[in-house]
Amino acid sequence: RVLGRVAYGLKIRGRKNLQSIKGAVVTVSNHFSYLDILVTRCCLGWRPFKFVVAPHNAGGKSAVGRSIFLGAGAVPVATTISGARKFNECLDKCVSKGKAVHFYAERAMWLNYPYPRPFLSGAFTLAARNNVPVVPMFYAYRKKGFLRRLLRMHAPMTAYILPAVYPDPALSGKHRAEQLCLDAEAAVRAACEAHVSAVR
C-alpha cells in the first residue's frame, strides 16, 4: 500500500462506492501497468480479495514465484475444460465467503495505454451467476510535476472507483451478464472522458 502511494503518487476517488458494499463484490478495471495490482490493493483496502490473472503472469515456472502470486491472491485463468470447472468453483466459493474478486476485464495489458478497451464477459458472468454487484474502476495517469520529472519517477496515477452496477433480475443469465458489461463499460468511458477533460 505504501509502495503504491509512493511509486504512483496515487489518488483514489470514490472510495465510498466500494466501502458501502459489505458483502461479496466483483471489481473490474483497465490494465496498463505491470504494477497496477498495487493500485488495486490500495483501492480495496483491507477487504479480502482474489484477482484473476493469465497463467504466465502467476509466477511462471518458478515455484517461489507461483507461491508469491498465489499467496497474494492470484487465481490463474484455466486453460483446460477440467480446469475451467475448478476455476469457476474457486471463484464461486470466494464470492460465497463474501470476498471481492478483481478482474482486469480487458484481459491483456497494453502498457501505458490511457483509454479504456472493451471488457470480456468473465467477470460479469460470475457476478450475474451469483447475483452480486460489479464495481467498475478506472486507472488513469496524471501529468508529472516538477519533482517527479527531476527524479525521473513514474507518472502519478488516479484511481476512480465508480458506482456499482447490479444484475437485472428481469433478465436471464446470459443477457444479465451482457447488460452488466455494457453498464460497466459506459461508466468507465464516462470516467475516462471526465479525467481527460480535467487534466488538459
Side-chain angles (χ1 to χ4, degrees):
R1 289 162 63 90
V2 173
L3 181 58
R5 296 283 189 180
V6 174
Y8 282 122
L10 180 65
K11 293 182 179 179
I12 301 175
R13 308 293 188 214
R15 283 183 181 275
K16 290 183 179 179
N17 292 324
L18 189 54
Q19 291 172 344
S20 62
I21 300 172
K22 301 305 181 184
V25 62
V26 173
T27 58
V28 295
S29 74
N30 53 325
H31 187 24
F32 67 112
S33 169
Y34 289 107
L35 294 178
D36 53 22
I37 187 57
L38 297 176
V39 179
T40 301
R41 175 72 277 179
C42 290
C43 288
L44 291 171
W46 296 109
R47 181 189 294 262
F49 86 111
K50 297 287 186 180
F51 61 101
V52 177
V53 296
H56 62 273
N57 288 333
K61 297 180 179 180
S62 165
V64 174
R66 288 196 303 274
S67 297
I68 291 172
F69 270 82
L70 294 175
V75 179
V77 175
T79 57
T80 65
I81 294 175
S82 61
R85 184 168 56 253
K86 293 178 181 178
F87 173 78
N88 288 326
E89 289 173 355
C90 173
L91 296 186
D92 287 338
K93 186 175 181 179
C94 290
V95 169
S96 71
K97 291 183 176 181
K99 293 184 178 181
V101 180
H102 184 77
F103 286 76
Y104 295 104
E106 300 168 340
R107 186 170 63 180
M109 182 188 72
W110 285 15
L111 188 62
N112 296 328
Y113 187 73
Y115 304 106
R117 294 180 286 127
F119 288 154
L120 298 181
S121 63
F124 309 99
T125 300
L126 174 66
R129 184 169 67 239
N130 290 278
N131 196 34
V132 298
V134 175
V135 173
M137 302 194 291
F138 180 66
Y139 305 154
Y141 287 133
R142 305 189 308 274
K143 293 180 180 179
K144 288 185 181 182
F146 172 76
L147 185 60
R148 283 186 171 269
R149 292 197 303 271
L150 179 66
L151 299 177
R152 297 185 179 181
M153 295 178 68
H154 200 285
M157 182 179 285
T158 299
Y160 296 93
I161 304 175
L162 308 174
V165 293
Y166 290 82
D168 185 345
L171 298 176
S172 65
K174 179 180 179 180
H175 296 298
R176 188 183 306 172
E178 290 173 349
Q179 188 60 53
L180 275 174
C181 183
L182 291 173
D183 291 344
E185 286 181 337
V188 167
R189 284 196 301 270
C192 177
E193 290 170 3
H195 176 80
V196 169
S197 297
V199 298
R200 279 177 179 169

